[in-house]
Amino acid sequence: QVQLVESGGDSVRAGGSLRLSCAVSGYASSNYCMAWFRQAPGKEREGVASIAPDGQTHILDPLKGRFTFSKDNAGNTLYLQMNDLKPEDTGMYYCAAAITCSLADFQSRGYWGQGTQVTVSS
């Protein structure tokens, strides 16, 4: 059974850093597109970063330079390093897996964790 479990969310002041983790089990993450999404209160869920099965990494343009997506050698744990956090980064962060990196696949056939809350105060 595919399982994704996020951790590392916290409340921090603006300018601080957090590292989110996603423990994956039940499948080989190298065969899937792995991604982080976030959802702020009152807003739609948005993709933050992804790693394709071929290793290509994508970071949402406004977050480049502050956010880094990586995984351990075994591919069992994914990380989202977030630096210089801003109040607009506040939201629930989700780890997800899908066969391809298309949003449609994540929405219709993706696997999702329960989310971890990030709160950034000014």
Side-chain angles (χ1 to χ4, degrees), residues 33-92:
C33 178
M34 305 300 301
W36 286 96
F37 289 78
R38 68 182 182 183
Q39 187 166 22
K43 295 187 177 180
E44 292 188 356
R45 190 174 298 185
E46 66 174 350
V48 171
S50 63
I51 293 180
D54 63 3
Q56 282 198 349
T57 302
H58 173 75
I59 303 287
L60 191 66
D61 281 347
L63 304 179
K64 288 180 179 177
R66 295 197 297 122
F67 285 25
T68 305
F69 188 7
S70 62
K71 59 182 180 179
D72 66 4
N73 289 336
N76 296 326
T77 306
L78 311 174
Y79 303 101
L80 183 67
Q81 178 67 43
M82 307 185 295
N83 299 325
D84 190 22
L85 283 161
K86 304 177 185 302
E88 52 264 40
D89 295 318
T90 293
M92 187 69 79

Side-chain angles (χ1 to χ4, degrees), residues 92-115:
M92 187 69 79
Y93 283 69
Y94 299 90
C95 177
I99 294 297
T100 74
C101 289
S102 73
L103 181 59
D105 268 352
F106 278 101
Q107 291 174 331
S108 63
R109 302 184 292 171
Y111 300 97
W112 293 82
Q114 82 290 347

